[in-house]
Amino acid sequence: MKRSQRDLHQYDIAVIGAGHNGLVCAAMLAKSGKRVVLLEARQKIGGLCVTEEIAEDVQGSVCAHLVHGLNKRVVSDLRLSKHGITFADGFQSTIALNEDGQHLTLTRDVAETKNNIASFSTSDANNYLKFDERLSAFARVLSVLADEPMPSIVHAAKGDERQWHKARQALAKLPADQSADFLHALSSSLADFLDDYFETDLLKGALAHDAVMGNALGPRSPGSTLGLLYRRTTELLGDPHYFGHPIGGIGAISDALGKAALEAGADIRLGADVTGLNVIDGSVVGVTLEDGQTISARAVVSSLDPRKTFLSLLPAGTADLRFLRKMRHWRCEGAAAKVNFALDAIPEFVGLSEEEVTRSRLLICPSTDYLEFAFNHTKYEEFSDYPALEIVIPTALDPTLAEPDQHVMSILVHYCPLHVKEGWNKVRDRFVERIIRVLTTFAPDIADVITAGQVLTPADIAQDFGLTGGHWHHGDLSLDQSFFFRPDAAAMHYETPVPGLYVCGAGSHPGGSLTGTPGHNAAQVILTREKERA
Amino acid sequence: MTQQVDVAIIGAGLNGLTAAAYLAKGGHRVVVLERGDRVGGAAANREVFPGYVYPTAGYASQMVHASIMHDLELGRHGLAFVPARANVTLSSDGDNLATYPDVEKTIRAIQHLSLRDAEAYGQMTVKLRRFAAFAQPFLEAERETSKRRAPDPFAPFERIQKLVDAQGAEEMLDCLRWSVESLGHALDGWFEVPALKAHLAGRALLGASLGPYSATTAPLLSKSLGFFAHQQSGGIGYVRGGAGALCESLMKALWSYGGDVRLEAKVSDIRLKDGNATGVVLDRGDEIEASTVVSSLDVKQTFLTLFDLKSLQQTFIDKVLKVKTRGALGKMSIALDALPRFPAIPPASPLWVGDWQLTPTLLDLERAFDDWKNKIAPQQPHIVFNTPSVFDSTLAPPGKHVMLVFIQYLTDELLEGPWDDQKKEALCQKVVDQIAEHSPGFKDLILHTELQTPGDLEDMFGLSGGHIFHGEASPDQLLTHSAFSNVAEHRAPIGNLYLCGSGCHPAGGLLAMSGQSAAKVIEADLAPRRWL
Amino acid sequence: MNTRPSPSMSPTPFHLRTARLCLSNAWVGQNGWTKVDFYTDVLEEYWALRNGAGIHDLTGLLHYRIVGADASSFLDYLTTVNVGMMPERTARHVLWCDDQGHVVGDGILYRLKPDEFRLFTQQSSYLWFADASVGFATVVEDVSRNFGGLAIQGPDARNVLQAVGLTDVAAMAPMEVVETTIQNVPVLVGRVSSGAELGYELFVDANDAPFLWDELAHHRILLTSPVGVSAFHTAMVEAGHPRLGFDFLSSETTIRGRRSVTPMELDMNHRVDFNKPHFIGRRALEQKWTAPPHQKLCGITYDGPGAFSGCPIRSKGTDVGATTSIVWSPKLARHVGLAWILTSAMSGAEPLELHAHIADELKAEPVSVPVSVGPRRHYRSATFLETPVAVA
């Protein structure tokens, strides 16, 4: 009886979306012997982690461009090292640019960074050690929660109790006054939190930038410190060797994950745009593609954003109303843009050597106020004249991307609204002009070396990558959309209220960034359920 | 000259007087020391323009809790309340949107705008009641624990576990989320009529240093609509005679229990001996020995101005410095020659007994907040105003009126230099223009105006940052109060010293609850230990 | 100029007629409408319902119109009953639940056409309906203010309707619905009765409401009388129909989640049909289905001195339940009503007692009355189900 039922389905599991989380999930499931198909709407795997042509004969990391927290378990379970990822020997440090040419270099080496800060402020330098230690301690608590499905506090099962116990123990390791600061840190705003430690605007600006990355949150929003803790958590859980710019661009990570999935036996179908989930007797039993083809599977895993999964793919009348109401209120309006320039020379930056320019991540975010002011505009469907920029010029270290005399400048722009009043088509050029103007302050001849450019506003990302709102993390990483609420208490364990449907994208616990953690966690849950079923 | 008392209380504000009256009633020798020439602290009334009384605080707020009313016999001492009848938003098309204390009545009022929103309003109030039940254990803090141990940040979650059993799991998680949501997003989820959303948020955010779309602002709505359990008694309203009258009645209560108030007695120092407070020194040189010292000033004022900083631990001073007190509320008082005419509201309408607003959308509120954040004068100020002389004849000569205008999101740290008369005049003009848009001939009625920025409030009343709630009511300060767990429970980290200001549990608003709760803690500590 | 009126109770479309007859001047509010509590004497009105024909102004019920190609599948998703199988021109009592299987509301659903329905309920659920209908080709409209409704109940109800020219009602079976006319005025008639009596509900355009009233009054035959809320409610309690907002609460309005109830606790398992596509709360109900409910809304009767709503019911001194609606039943000559009782206490092994205090001069005397617990339906008239055989 069981056997014949099994045979009714073409696959055990269909995974929708071959972004990194979809790839990780599919590979993990296939590795455990499941018949898995991975369906990707685009002609290429990778989702936002792709290397594509950004100008004629120039390749670049179109969206995401740096790695800093690919989960260790993903790396080891899928033996990624076997699939040929090498990292550029650089991008280990961040240089926060200052208009006066007095830049600040931040590295993963705390002592070195401390010394660098000392030339700005001795008290900040001293506090940096305390800050770093505390941040890591808090992140260790969160990493207990992040590296597994979120433990319930209601209907708590044995596993949940164990996990809470672990989190508590991690907290108990902190000195008493610091453990008290943990909730304070979670609920305070970045600006306030950083003000408690530092006086140097440049340092605070750089730290704040990394914390809000991709989210529609300003550093003055309460709860934005969560972003700082989250980033440190991903770094703790991440493989320290997978850091910086992968040779071949960010797509190299996706390619390696894809190879791991194929090797494990998963089918990957490109150009397979899923337009609906097929439901029989209330359970999801497969998907329908744009061309009308159906693919049946005993379970479907969506790595797409929650709104797309539950409001557009799931047929009306399949999920309960309170749950749907919450999905309708899920906030995923993108707030970051990506701009990629093709250059015919490496631009000169005031106060930086060429080596520094080509081997570092450059940040233009001189203060938390600068960042907050940039954010103000997005609320009113405007873009700021002074956006914060994260700049990487990887081509000097990665010859695979372009001819020797060609270069790529990859820029992450904060903030950028999903909609602008005038419509993006009318103001896209002005948007790029503003960015070039900001760049000119630091690299006066930048305009002369730009040969071509590519802009991806949240609206473009939404359209090109099928991401609701064009939000990099599938939804703001805010207190009301994290932990129990990512995407909702009823789906925080990757199982959804609809039988046969799972989620594994950045919109699920613990959240976004190139970590593979949601995909990996989801695969564990699905395998457990499969075992129980058998 | 040395005086000896049991309890010396610094500051004759609402909470100081309340704590004093309770302790005096409990049989202790109490003296309240007020630096000003009258009682009232931040809540004192002043006659700035002849014949007109400008109550300092005075938007419709929580009435004093029934238990305080009863315990201190305030009714007998002359306290009277005028319950608020409605809150109104006037729209530019000459119409008005009103909500009422009664939920059913409000629902029927909203039905004219949107059936959907009317029903959503009813369900929102259910949500707020659920949330109040959820928040109760957090607000109650750890009052029962007298041990001074480091708080366990997971402790509130243990209480949540109990709530799960009482409330049901899903409802409890909803509440948890509500507590960290932004008010704007929450209202966008409930309602479709922009004016209704701005109407609810515009009052809820009064005094807050956060914008409608700042996370964690949703619970402010529960407070402004009076849904918290400790607010359930009394409702929302105005004190007859202004807030000063409330202080007067508290002072009378204090006297009746044998307590004393010394005016123009500015405390310059708190005396310490072996790490314990032993009394206070006045700036004119008098000393008062007291076995217990209570400060009704805010945390910053207490520790940074009343102590020799060398006697405090640096880590503690750091924490005090970190307390956020960025004031955001300014106030304008206007003396009027006659009742202004508002075509949207007839002269005898009960809607006059309420707070009025003009801001039409949440984004307008957010812009006003951005100006505050950006440290510039409000370009389009968000105002909440009322005409208390309509329902309180003690404030103005017959036929004349006093209008109070609260300007939410008024920064004191202007980038272009401090507030001067010229800038104040320009802002007053802006506010008057706004009101005049809805009231033809309004400008001709104005006899006198006075603008108080948060800085003026700081100077006048010794409020750090001019923050009327003695510190921002953000959750990192309010619910977890991690930096000051014990302070939040009134005990300062110095023996025999207590705090009772409105920054303490249960925080904010004209409630006098902090004073009551401080008195209870002090009373318990003073009670002779019973040995078994 | 000020256009917005201060919110107050609205008169019903029958107000000019009912106000003249309301000699008691006793009014009650329901969902924003002013209704007659009783006209002159509750007992007189009650007996009119049971012995002749009583006319009751139904305004205050919320009236929804649900139309569209997906109306039937939307209602199947919304409610726990099988709407797809519902024949045209019939009515049903339906429940709708939330994700946890807790009852959000209940009402009477009329199916007029394959894709047109009317839904009548005691408490507004508009927001719930509107949100649930997203994705379905259907429109949900609150038409409460567009219609006037009257209930006519009693053994003579059919005769009265035939007398005003509604000949088609003669053959109407219980829960049957027809769209017909009186003197060319369209009327929607359903043989629906909440008082377990022969009864009909009639709905006309609000402008035709006075006409409908006058027609029924003009052709009034013996013992036909207007009936206020009190007597109508008495008949409802006798019939054992729980009222939303009184006997149980919508899970959208409970303050404490634990006060929400399931269909099983309401003893309405027969209103839940799993042989249909997914509906809201289905999975939760499937899970809870087999577990015996913790408590149940039961019928209780007792002989005693007064009608005690909201009083504890005890077994051997411990509280095992509480009364909701209690009325004096003239027909049964006892107090009858509804009460929430723990299932563990319903075995019948231990006698149950109702506890109350009766104020007597200066002291309040505690009283204990033995109660018997049973099905909710206390009374049903023989005429309730009877339909005369149509004459060929």
Side-chain angles (χ1 to χ4, degrees):
Chain A
M1 181 67 191
K2 276 239 162 79
R3 176 136 292 270
S4 67
Q5 259 181 6
R6 178 190 161 105
D7 289 342
L8 285 175
H9 295 294
Q10 292 164 266
Y11 291 97
D12 293 331
I13 293 151
V15 181
I16 308 172
H20 61 276
N21 281 312
L23 283 162
V24 168
C25 189
M28 290 298 299
L29 293 171
K31 209 178 131 234
S32 300
K34 301 292 161 197
R35 294 174 305 153
V36 177
V37 64
L38 180 57
L39 303 163
E40 170 56 46
R42 300 181 84 229
Q43 291 301 334
K44 190 168 199 168
I45 61 166
L48 292 187
C49 296
V50 282
T51 306
E52 282 176 6
E53 199 163 68
I54 61 160
E56 207 182 331
D57 293 331
V58 180
Q59 302 278 317
S61 304
V62 176
C63 292
H65 61 188
L66 288 173
V67 182
H68 59 80
L70 188 60
N71 196 304
K72 281 175 213 157
R73 292 183 301 146
V74 171
V75 173
S76 62
D77 288 354
L78 298 178
R79 299 197 196 152
L80 283 195
S81 55
K82 235 179 58 179
H83 297 293
I85 301 179
T86 52
F87 277 81
D89 184 19
F91 303 102
Q92 300 285 331
S93 57
T94 297
I95 302 180
L97 303 184
N98 208 348
E99 230 172 290
D100 63 5
Q102 268 259 47
H103 308 310
L104 169 64
T105 305
L106 304 164
T107 70
R108 285 199 281 170
D109 184 334
V110 181
E112 193 186 329
T113 305
K114 182 192 161 186
N115 284 338
N116 295 340
I117 297 171
S119 60
F120 288 83
S121 153
T122 30
S123 90
D124 281 9
N126 293 331
N127 280 345
Y128 188 74
L129 294 183
K130 201 170 99 188
F131 170 81
D132 184 77
E133 201 178 283
R134 203 169 278 197
L135 199 57
S136 292
F138 292 165
R140 272 195 292 278
V141 179
L142 289 186
S143 66
V144 174
L145 304 178
D147 213 20
E148 287 182 57
M150 184 67 198
S152 300
I153 46 170
V154 294
H155 318 302
K158 247 193 192 142
D160 297 326
E161 299 283 352
R162 176 190 52 75
Q163 215 176 329
W164 281 122
H165 183 67
K166 252 168 80 181
R168 272 196 144 168
Q169 277 184 321
L171 197 65
K173 283 191 195 130
L174 298 174
D177 65 322
Q178 285 190 27
S179 68
D181 280 355
F182 178 63
L183 281 192
H184 174 77
L186 264 186
S187 50
S188 79
S189 81
L190 264 171
D192 289 338
F193 187 74
L194 294 172
D195 281 348
D196 284 353
Y197 291 90
F198 306 118
E199 56 188 23
T200 309
D201 283 339
L202 192 60
L203 173 63
K204 289 188 279 188
L207 293 168
H209 172 275
D210 289 357
V212 298
M213 199 188 264
N215 288 308
L217 280 171
R220 291 281 291 270
S221 308
S224 51
T225 307
L226 177 65
L228 194 67
L229 302 182
Y230 181 73
R231 189 172 169 108
R232 181 56 65 94
T233 304
T234 61
E235 285 168 6
L236 278 183
L237 294 175
D239 188 318
H241 303 106
Y242 283 66
F243 196 92
H245 171 81
I247 297 296
I250 204 83
I253 302 281
S254 306
D255 291 343
L257 289 171
K259 279 182 208 160
L262 285 175
E263 193 185 83
D267 285 353
I268 299 181
R269 289 214 210 166
L270 298 175
D273 190 0
V274 175
T275 52
L277 294 166
N278 300 340
V279 177
I280 293 179
D281 288 343
S283 295
V284 172
V285 294
V287 300
T288 301
L289 304 183
E290 200 190 10
D291 58 12
Q293 204 188 137
T294 61
I295 293 172
S296 70
R298 207 171 46 236
V300 174
V301 190
S302 169
S303 72
L304 311 182
D305 66 87
R307 288 176 73 132
K308 180 110 182 170
T309 305
F310 295 108
L311 304 180
S312 125
L313 296 187
L314 198 65
T318 317
D320 289 346
L321 187 54
R322 290 238 169 98
F323 178 75
L324 287 179
R325 274 179 171 174
K326 285 176 197 157
M327 293 304 108
R328 285 173 199 159
H329 297 151
W330 179 257
R331 289 194 317 280
C332 55
E333 286 212 356
K338 186 71 195 299
V339 173
N340 301 311
F341 289 130
L343 314 173
D344 56 10
I346 290 168
E348 243 178 70
F349 278 77
V350 178
L352 290 182
S353 67
E354 183 171 312
E355 181 170 321
E356 283 173 317
V357 171
T358 55
R359 303 174 73 93
S360 316
R361 177 172 75 118
L362 308 179
L363 276 187
I364 298 178
C365 183
S367 67
T368 43
D369 274 349
Y370 180 93
L371 194 60
E372 182 72 23
F373 291 164
F375 174 62
N376 283 348
H377 297 272
T378 48
K379 295 185 283 197
Y380 315 113
E381 306 195 334
E382 305 158 359
F383 54 80
S384 166
D385 286 347
Y386 299 98
L389 308 177
E390 176 187 87
I391 306 154
V392 174
I393 305 175
T395 27
L397 296 177
D398 183 354
T400 66
L401 296 176
E403 296 298 316
D405 58 342
Q406 294 288 313
H407 291 281
V408 172
M409 188 184 220
S410 174
I411 308 171
L412 188 56
V413 186
H414 283 100
Y415 296 82
C416 176
L418 173 60
H419 303 292
V420 282
K421 283 178 211 139
E422 307 89 334
W424 270 116
N425 286 337
K426 282 202 183 136
V427 294
R428 194 183 299 267
D429 289 343
R430 214 167 74 211
F431 180 63
V432 178
E433 268 166 38
R434 295 292 185 274
I435 290 163
I436 294 175
R437 204 172 65 186
V438 170
L439 283 170
T440 309
T441 320
F442 301 89
D445 59 351
I446 183 76
D448 304 334
V449 296
I450 296 173
T451 57
Q454 175 192 33
V455 192
L456 287 153
T457 67
D460 299 323
I461 294 169
Q463 176 146 30
D464 296 356
F465 296 91
L467 202 56
T468 311
H471 196 294
W472 290 58
H473 306 308
H474 295 196
D476 283 338
L477 187 77
S478 52
L479 285 173
D480 60 338
Q481 298 201 142
S482 300
F483 305 114
F484 306 110
F485 313 121
R486 197 161 187 95
D488 176 59
M492 67 182 182
H493 292 156
Y494 308 101
E495 280 179 281
T496 71
V498 184
L501 178 63
Y502 297 84
V503 286
C504 74
S508 44
H509 174 78
S513 288
L514 176 40
T515 63
T517 310
H520 194 278
N521 285 350
Q524 305 309 309
V525 171
I526 295 162
L527 289 171
T528 312
R529 292 292 164 273
E530 288 278 300
K531 220 178 276 170
E532 284 167 6
R533 195 189 55 84
Chain B
M1 195 184 91
T2 308
Q3 189 188 351
Q4 277 195 331
V5 294
D6 295 332
V7 185
I9 293 180
I10 305 166
L14 191 55
N15 284 302
L17 288 169
T18 304
Y22 267 98
L23 291 168
K25 192 183 177 194
H28 304 283
R29 283 177 304 156
V30 179
V31 63
V32 180
L33 304 159
E34 167 59 38
R35 67 166 193 168
D37 60 357
R38 70 188 76 194
V39 295
N45 288 345
R46 293 157 312 114
E47 186 175 320
V48 175
F49 186 66
Y52 292 80
V53 176
Y54 292 165
T56 305
Y59 55 86
S61 76
Q62 197 55 51
M63 297 189 194
V64 163
H65 196 272
S67 64
I68 300 175
M69 237 1 232
H70 167 261
D71 292 349
L72 301 180
E73 303 165 278
L74 296 183
R76 208 159 62 80
H77 294 299
L79 181 61
F81 274 116
V82 180
R85 302 280 292 273
N87 287 313
V88 184
T89 293
L90 307 175
S91 63
S92 48
D93 60 5
D95 207 345
N96 73 64
L97 160 67
T99 55
Y100 304 85
D102 181 64
V103 174
E104 285 298 320
K105 195 171 175 188
T106 306
I107 289 175
R108 291 204 298 281
I110 300 173
Q111 274 173 352
H112 294 288
L113 301 171
S114 155
L115 271 183
R116 191 195 154 83
D117 282 9
E119 194 170 324
Y121 185 85
Q123 287 183 11
M124 186 198 73
T125 62
V126 169
K127 174 114 190 165
L128 296 186
R129 283 182 211 283
R130 280 181 190 164
F131 179 71
F134 161 82
Q136 203 51 30
F138 292 89
L139 293 170
E140 272 167 14
E142 286 141 277
R143 247 199 282 185
E144 67 279 8
T145 53
S146 55
K147 277 181 248 154
R148 297 187 179 187
R149 58 179 174 76
D152 175 2
F154 275 104
F157 289 99
E158 274 178 5
R159 292 190 211 114
I160 290 182
Q161 194 60 54
K162 283 179 199 148
L163 279 169
V164 171
D165 301 336
Q167 283 256 15
E170 286 73 18
E171 285 78 4
M172 197 284 304
L173 277 172
D174 269 1
C175 289
L176 187 59
R177 178 152 73 175
W178 173 261
S179 69
V180 292
E181 238 181 330
S182 85
L183 182 53
H185 290 131
L187 292 170
D188 284 338
W190 282 109
F191 303 113
E192 59 187 12
V193 176
L196 178 60
K197 294 190 260 187
H199 175 81
L200 292 171
R203 261 191 60 80
L205 290 164
L206 270 187
S209 309
L210 293 167
Y213 284 104
S214 304
T216 70
T217 46
L220 294 175
L221 189 61
S222 308
K223 194 179 149 211
S224 84
L225 294 177
F227 275 106
F228 283 132
H230 66 261
Q231 299 179 308
Q232 285 299 301
S233 150
I236 307 264
Y238 307 87
V239 179
R240 187 171 156 82
L246 172 53
C247 291
E248 293 285 336
S249 69
L250 279 167
M251 186 171 68
K252 285 183 194 153
L254 173 63
W255 283 340
S256 76
Y257 301 127
D260 192 14
V261 180
R262 285 173 67 177
L263 298 173
E264 293 177 327
K266 183 174 179 355
V267 174
S268 60
D269 223 343
I270 293 177
R271 269 287 139 87
L272 287 182
K273 195 178 173 191
D274 304 329
N276 292 322
T278 58
V280 298
V281 184
L282 304 185
D283 66 348
R284 53 187 187 219
D286 309 14
E287 266 188 50
I288 294 170
E289 277 181 34
S291 49
T292 301
V293 177
V294 184
S295 169
S296 70
L297 311 185
D298 63 60
V299 180
K300 276 185 172 169
Q301 294 287 332
T302 303
F303 293 107
L304 301 181
T305 70
L306 299 182
F307 279 94
D308 178 4
L309 288 188
K310 273 173 261 158
S311 63
L312 299 174
Q313 286 184 348
Q314 188 57 41
T315 51
F316 180 76
I317 295 173
D318 286 348
K319 280 186 179 176
V320 171
L321 286 168
K322 279 183 196 174
V323 171
K324 287 172 283 168
T325 53
R326 290 165 293 203
L329 191 63
K331 184 174 158 264
M332 197 175 146
S333 312
I334 306 175
L336 295 168
D337 202 25
L339 187 70
R341 197 170 68 82
F342 285 86
I345 297 175
S349 164
L351 300 184
W352 281 91
V353 191
D355 291 346
W356 298 1
Q357 306 172 60
L358 306 172
T359 307
T361 71
L362 286 174
L363 277 184
D364 290 310
L365 277 172
E366 185 73 21
R367 278 181 203 276
F369 166 66
D370 277 350
D371 288 346
W372 175 83
K373 210 172 55 178
N374 299 353
K375 299 178 180 163
I376 59 175
Q379 302 168 61
Q380 187 68 25
H382 167 54
I383 60 173
V384 174
F385 61 106
N386 58 49
T387 317
S389 49
V390 166
F391 48 86
D392 182 350
S393 56
T394 64
L395 299 177
K400 317 283 181 187
H401 288 278
V402 170
M403 183 180 270
L404 301 180
V405 185
F406 296 87
I407 306 170
Q408 170 64 16
Y409 302 126
L410 189 60
T411 179
D412 214 56
E413 310 167 56
L414 281 183
L415 279 184
E416 48 163 10
W419 284 101
D420 53 24
D421 287 347
Q422 202 188 343
K423 286 179 198 141
K424 281 189 174 181
E425 183 50 44
L427 178 62
C428 286
Q429 201 52 52
K430 228 177 244 180
V431 169
V432 167
D433 286 346
Q434 260 196 41
I435 297 173
E437 240 175 75
H438 298 265
S439 177
F442 179 71
K443 287 180 189 175
D444 303 335
L445 302 176
I446 298 173
L447 301 173
H448 175 259
T449 60
E450 182 201 43
L451 175 70
Q452 289 166 300
T453 65
D456 296 332
L457 295 173
E458 170 161 9
D459 294 345
M460 218 177 281
F461 310 109
L463 294 170
S464 293
H467 205 287
I468 53 165
F469 298 147
H470 286 202
E472 298 172 26
S474 55
D476 54 322
Q477 301 215 107
L478 197 68
L479 286 182
T480 69
H481 45 73
S482 51
F484 286 100
S485 178
N486 289 316
V487 171
E489 288 146 40
H490 307 294
R491 296 184 188 92
I494 285 164
N496 303 336
L497 177 65
Y498 297 83
L499 283 94
C500 71
S502 91
C504 303
H505 173 84
L510 264 179
L511 289 161
M513 294 272 302
S514 300
Q516 182 196 36
S517 124
K520 280 183 186 163
V521 169
I522 296 166
E523 192 77 57
D525 285 3
L526 290 180
R529 301 264 184 281
R530 247 185 261 159
W531 303 98
L532 292 173
Chain C
M1 206 42 215
N2 176 32
T3 51
R4 182 101 45 238
S6 173
S8 55
M9 291 283 177
S10 311
T12 80
F14 302 100
H15 188 79
L16 289 177
R17 302 294 183 272
T18 56
R20 229 174 15 173
L21 298 167
C22 183
L23 301 180
S24 69
N25 207 21
W27 301 87
V28 289
Q30 189 187 351
N31 290 324
W33 281 278
T34 309
K35 294 185 65 170
V36 176
D37 188 7
F38 59 94
Y39 288 86
T40 47
D41 182 275
V42 179
L43 263 186
E44 201 175 278
E45 292 163 34
Y46 170 84
W47 285 118
L49 271 183
R50 291 286 179 226
N51 293 342
I55 301 168
H56 176 72
D57 180 357
L58 281 174
T59 316
L61 274 185
L62 280 311
H63 184 161
Y64 300 96
R65 187 163 168 265
I66 300 153
V67 286
D70 287 348
S72 168
S73 45
F74 159 62
L75 286 163
D76 258 333
Y77 168 61
L78 179 78
T79 69
T80 58
V81 305
N82 196 329
V83 177
M85 299 290 281
M86 225 176 122
E88 266 179 74
R89 295 187 301 281
T90 61
R92 277 203 74 170
H93 176 243
V94 300
L95 294 174
W96 47 99
C97 292
D98 67 13
D99 299 25
Q100 276 85 53
H102 292 138
V103 177
V104 173
D106 77 334
I108 302 289
L109 181 69
Y110 281 25
R111 184 174 206 161
L112 305 185
K113 301 196 183 81
D115 57 358
E116 183 179 351
F117 296 82
R118 301 291 178 86
L119 184 50
F120 304 92
T121 171
Q122 296 271 356
Q123 256 180 22
S124 175
S125 260
Y126 180 70
L127 197 56
W128 189 259
F129 298 159
D131 283 355
S133 66
V134 173
F136 290 95
T138 182
V139 176
V140 183
E141 212 186 336
D142 183 335
V143 293
S144 314
R145 289 186 182 269
N146 308 0
F147 287 89
L150 288 179
I152 177 159
Q153 277 183 35
D156 288 337
R158 186 185 290 117
N159 300 338
V160 173
L161 294 187
Q162 282 178 309
V164 300
L166 285 171
T167 43
D168 4 12
V169 302
M172 276 174 83
M175 302 311 265
E176 201 177 321
V177 175
V178 295
E179 285 177 282
T180 173
T181 57
I182 304 176
Q183 298 171 27
N184 293 326
V185 172
V187 194
L188 174 63
V189 186
R191 184 169 164 191
V192 174
S193 152
S194 58
E197 193 65 65
L198 173 65
Y200 302 84
E201 295 176 343
L202 296 88
F203 297 93
V204 293
D205 188 284
N207 297 321
D208 296 326
F211 163 80
L212 181 66
W213 183 277
D214 290 342
E215 279 303 300
L216 296 185
H218 177 69
H219 290 279
R220 195 160 55 161
I221 54 176
L222 197 64
L223 264 181
T224 299
S225 135
V227 174
V229 170
S230 278
F232 197 72
H233 178 213
T234 299
M236 247 177 112
V237 175
E238 286 177 334
H241 289 305
R243 284 196 303 167
L244 179 60
F246 292 85
D247 300 306
F248 67 102
L249 298 177
S250 161
S251 78
E252 288 278 273
T253 62
T254 51
I255 308 301
R256 278 164 292 153
R258 293 286 148 120
R259 291 193 66 186
S260 303
V261 299
T262 62
M264 293 79 89
E265 288 171 324
L266 283 176
D267 221 345
M268 290 190 188
N269 302 41
H270 54 293
R271 299 273 185 265
V272 181
D273 188 346
F274 292 119
N275 289 317
K276 66 165 195 164
H278 181 75
F279 55 88
I280 304 169
R282 177 190 185 118
R283 282 179 275 268
L285 286 173
E286 279 172 339
Q287 269 176 16
K288 294 174 181 170
W289 192 247
T290 44
H294 179 62
Q295 54 175 358
K296 268 189 175 182
L297 185 61
C298 310
I300 60 165
T301 62
Y302 65 88
D303 283 322
F308 306 116
S309 294
C311 286
I313 290 178
R314 294 189 179 147
S315 164
K316 287 198 296 188
T318 42
D319 284 8
V320 295
T323 59
T324 57
S325 302
I326 303 286
V327 296
W328 168 254
S329 164
K331 191 87 182 170
L332 304 174
R334 302 194 80 189
H335 283 104
V336 303
L338 308 178
W340 283 103
I341 297 177
L342 296 179
T343 30
S344 56
M346 282 163 46
S347 60
E350 292 295 334
L352 298 180
E353 287 184 326
L354 192 159
H355 277 247
H357 284 82
I358 298 179
D360 179 23
E361 298 270 313
L362 289 176
K363 53 191 179 184
E365 289 283 351
V367 292
S368 291
V369 196
V371 291
S372 49
V373 175
R376 277 204 297 269
R377 187 197 301 154
H378 298 289
Y379 172 76
R380 177 184 273 180
S381 149
T383 58
F384 178 70
L385 292 172
E386 267 176 15
T387 310
V389 181
V391 186

